[in-house]
């Protein structure tokens, strides 16, 4: 499945595939009740016509029973069920999305493109630390690497392959690419430091979690490699990645030949202007053979950029045909302590800017009737733990107007505690 060569080609693909997506959706009893009967198939490129299709959100999906989802939402006319992907973002009883053989063919290509985007190709060796269970990301990455001539070690997360063994495998097999969640990259790095192990790779590829600039800098320092983050969702597939030719942190190049995206004002649901924060709405153009996700509102708040390379003073490249989206990180959690809203992302950025700190955990507690913020920190070797602790206490009070309780832990403590978790419990409310 070659990359489109121009934005005009993408527009032609979208025009054809949007109609096909709506026609397939109308085979579903769920969508037959929701799509206007008189919708003009010849004018789906007209935003006013396209917006006649109602947005599908998580609350609507949560409201379906298993019988309704599989019997009314999913389609029976397809090329056969190949496997099931566990929904990652719907709370409560998770749904398992059927994927047809054609869906998987497209899905493998959409994941493989992230290797191309990062500049990793034939002859590289990948150590994959994504979970290898019912979430698709780990096993799809491992399977699609073959199409790019990349050797794979199916390590899985720390729950299946202990972190100490993962470090041993990295030392013995000498991979050039590490793939996993950014929080687990931090844990491996801290464990390596505690054991005096020097890590050195060429590529780091992450997904599924926000990566702030401070977090990116810390991970790149400890692994000695460039990080490229990637973006996808179970309802669609791997949708895009950071391109090696872009400045880090500018956002994800979205495969708009495979996914039609809209960025809408969160209140009016009218199209947001370029650069304005809006809610992301996605229509799968190819991976819709069983599950017709039309105008799916993922809950992501993003900004959109046409990413005109000539306007940015760069030469066009293979991924320059795609636009970019960048997460606004507005949905990140926060603690409210003594009337102060303390954003998790803000605190994480602050902590990781201190090079003396290897890792940390933040906890909201209630002691003696008062709410407190406890920061458990690991201090890098060669740093004065007492001095770092005092400085953190003063700077947190100055920046966030809260006096924290700072606890210094032995290096490697948090990595050991987090090892069995898919995602790190870095922020814990214990009140």
């Amino acid at each position: 499945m070659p990359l489109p060569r121009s934005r005009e080609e993408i527009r032609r693909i979208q025009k054809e595939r949007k109609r096909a997506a709506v026609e397939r959706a109308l085979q579903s009893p769920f969508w037959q009740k929701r799509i206007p009967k008189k919708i003009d198939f010849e004018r789906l490129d007209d935003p006013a016509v396209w917006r006649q299709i109602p947005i599908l959100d998580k609350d609507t999906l949560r409201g379906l029973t298993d019988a309704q989802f599989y019997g009314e939402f999913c389609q029976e006319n397809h090329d056969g069920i190949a496997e099931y992907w566990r929904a990652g973002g719907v709370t409560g009883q998770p749904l398992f999305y059927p994927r047809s053989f054609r869906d998987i063919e497209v899905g493998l290509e959409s994941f493989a493109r992230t290797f191309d985007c990062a500049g990793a190709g034939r002859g590289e060796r990948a150590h994959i630390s994504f979970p290898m269970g019912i979430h698709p990301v780990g096993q799809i990455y491992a399977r699609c690497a073959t199409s790019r001539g990349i050797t794979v070690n199916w390590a899985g997360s720390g729950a299946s392959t202990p972190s100490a063994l993962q470090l041993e495998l990295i030392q013995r097999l000498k991979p050039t690419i590490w793939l996993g969640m950014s929080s687990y990259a931090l844990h491996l790095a801290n464990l390596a430091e505690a054991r005096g192990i020097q890590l050195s790779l060429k590529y780091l590829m992450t997904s599924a979690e926000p990566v702030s600039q401070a977090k990116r800098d810390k991970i790149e320092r400890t692994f000695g490699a460039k990080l490229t983050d990637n973006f996808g969702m179970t309802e669609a597939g791997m949708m895009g990645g950071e391109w090696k030719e872009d400045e880090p942190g500018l956002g994800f190049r979205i495969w708009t030949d495979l996914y039609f995206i809209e960025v809408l004002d969160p209140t009016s649901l009218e199209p947001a202007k370029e650069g304005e924060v809006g809610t992301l709405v996605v229509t799968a153009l190819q991976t819709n053979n069983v599950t017709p996700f039309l105008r799916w509102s993922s809950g992501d708040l993003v900004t959109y950029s046409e990413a005109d390379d000539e306007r940015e003073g760069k030469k066009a490249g293979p991924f320059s045909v795609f636009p970019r989206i960048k997460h606004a990180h507005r949905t990140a959690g926060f603690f409210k302590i003594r009337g102060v809203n303390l954003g998790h992302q803000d605190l994480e950025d602050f902590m990781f800017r201190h090079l003396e700190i290897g890792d940390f955990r933040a906890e909201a507690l209630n002691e003696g009737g008062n709410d407190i913020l406890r920061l458990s920190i690991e201090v890098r070797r060669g740093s004065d733990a007492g001095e770092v602790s005092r400085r953190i206490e003063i700077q947190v009070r100055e920046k966030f107007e809260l006096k924290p309780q700072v606890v210094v832990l032995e290096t490697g403590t948090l990595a050991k505690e987090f090892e069995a978790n898919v995602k790190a419990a870095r922020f814990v409310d214990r009140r």
Side-chain angles (χ1 to χ4, degrees):
M1 189 179 296
L3 294 178
R5 290 166 294 182
S6 67
R7 297 193 175 187
E8 180 56 36
E9 182 179 349
I10 291 174
R11 283 188 284 271
R12 290 196 300 269
I13 292 171
Q14 289 181 346
K15 181 179 180 65
E16 175 187 339
R17 296 306 305 174
K18 282 168 71 177
R19 175 165 185 161
V22 175
E23 289 175 341
R24 286 200 63 79
L26 283 171
Q27 298 176 31
S28 157
F30 174 89
W31 282 110
Q32 289 170 10
K33 301 172 186 176
R34 293 168 62 87
I35 297 175
K37 295 186 183 302
K38 295 183 178 180
I39 193 165
D40 189 344
F41 285 93
E42 299 298 329
R43 298 178 57 226
L44 289 176
D45 281 344
D46 183 336
V49 175
W50 182 251
R51 289 201 297 272
Q52 292 176 20
I53 301 170
I55 288 175
L56 175 62
D57 59 25
K58 295 181 180 181
D59 288 337
T60 303
L61 211 58
R62 288 189 192 106
L64 300 179
T65 64
D66 269 3
Q68 289 173 321
F69 178 74
Y70 293 109
E72 298 179 19
F73 183 85
C74 295
Q75 303 172 66
E76 295 182 354
N77 180 24
H78 50 72
D79 61 319
I81 302 299
E83 58 193 66
Y84 292 86
W85 288 5
R86 184 190 189 278
V90 179
T91 58
Q93 181 89 7
L95 290 169
F96 286 80
Y97 301 143
R99 289 286 172 257
S100 78
F101 290 97
R102 172 58 180 163
D103 290 335
I104 295 303
E105 181 182 335
V106 176
L108 288 167
E109 175 61 23
S110 69
F111 273 77
R113 283 184 182 182
T114 63
F115 286 117
D116 306 335
C117 221
R122 182 168 295 277
E124 305 293 353
R125 299 180 302 280
H127 180 104
I128 300 182
S129 294
F130 282 114
M132 291 292 178
I134 53 179
H135 286 282
V137 58
Q139 47 97 355
I140 294 291
Y141 257 130
R143 288 155 60 189
C144 77
T146 301
S147 70
R148 298 309 192 257
I150 295 173
T151 305
V152 172
N153 181 13
W154 297 52
S157 68
S160 58
T161 304
S163 298
L165 179 54
Q166 299 229 14
L167 289 178
E168 180 184 332
L169 290 170
I170 290 173
Q171 289 180 287
R172 291 176 58 193
L173 303 180
K174 301 189 182 329
T176 54
I177 312 169
W178 181 87
L179 298 97
M181 295 185 185
S182 57
S183 58
Y184 193 56
L186 289 173
H187 304 331
L188 283 180
N190 290 323
L191 183 60
E193 183 179 65
R195 297 182 175 216
I197 297 171
Q198 182 68 43
L199 297 173
S200 179
L201 292 95
K202 290 168 61 178
Y203 307 97
L204 300 168
M205 296 175 62
T206 61
S207 189
E209 294 177 327
V211 180
S212 67
Q213 188 59 48
K215 194 174 186 179
R216 181 190 301 271
D217 291 343
K218 175 179 170 54
I219 292 172
E220 290 185 340
R221 282 196 305 271
T222 52
F223 275 86
K226 181 179 180 181
L227 185 151
T228 55
D229 198 24
N230 302 287
F231 173 67
M233 59 185 70
T234 321
E235 292 76 18
M238 185 57 72
M239 293 179 55
E242 293 183 329
W243 186 26
K244 66 183 181 69
E245 300 298 330
D246 286 338
E247 292 295 323
L250 281 182
F252 307 105
R253 296 281 181 162
I254 299 296
W255 325 140
T256 44
D257 59 328
L258 305 180
Y259 310 102
F260 177 70
I261 64 169
E262 304 167 74
V263 179
L264 308 179
D265 181 274
T267 303
S268 68
L269 296 182
E270 293 294 318
K273 295 179 181 178
E274 185 173 345
E276 291 183 349
V277 174
T279 187
L280 180 63
V281 174
V282 179
T283 296
L285 299 177
Q286 297 278 2
T287 51
N288 55 6
N289 293 291
V290 189
T291 52
F293 280 101
L294 290 181
R295 304 199 76 205
W296 166 251
S297 178
S298 64
D300 295 275
L301 291 175
V302 303
T303 56
Y304 176 89
S305 168
E306 284 291 341
D308 187 329
D309 290 72
E310 292 183 3
R311 185 178 64 190
E312 295 173 10
K314 297 185 298 184
K315 292 183 179 179
F319 288 92
S320 63
V321 296
F322 297 120
R324 282 191 299 254
I325 63 168
K326 181 179 181 180
H327 273 97
H329 298 314
R330 275 203 200 161
T331 55
F334 66 91
F335 292 143
K336 188 162 188 174
I337 301 176
R338 297 188 183 184
V340 175
N341 288 333
L342 180 62
H344 295 172
Q345 190 74 52
D346 293 335
L347 182 59
E348 182 177 84
D349 285 352
F350 169 83
M351 296 297 288
F352 284 142
R353 286 194 184 102
H354 292 78
L355 303 186
E356 307 93 333
I357 294 178
D359 206 349
F360 80 97
R361 178 172 58 207
E363 300 165 279
L365 305 100
N366 185 277
E367 292 187 355
N370 289 320
D371 287 347
I372 65 169
L373 171 68
R374 177 187 293 163
L375 294 175
S376 299
I377 64 173
E378 296 181 10
V379 178
R380 290 189 176 279
R381 292 176 179 177
S383 299
D384 185 328
E387 174 59 29
V388 173
S389 177
R390 285 189 293 272
R391 183 149 41 88
I392 290 296
E393 180 181 319
I394 292 170
Q395 292 182 3
V396 168
R397 188 170 64 239
E398 291 175 347
K399 182 173 180 59
F400 300 105
E401 299 181 355
L402 281 172
K403 182 180 179 181
Q405 179 188 95
V406 181
V407 178
V408 178
L409 302 177
E410 182 180 348
T411 299
T413 301
L414 292 174
K416 185 176 180 180
E417 291 181 11
F418 291 154
E419 182 173 318
N421 296 317
V422 174
K423 293 188 181 182
R426 192 176 304 285
F427 299 92
V428 184
D429 195 332
R430 301 192 186 279
R431 292 173 291 187

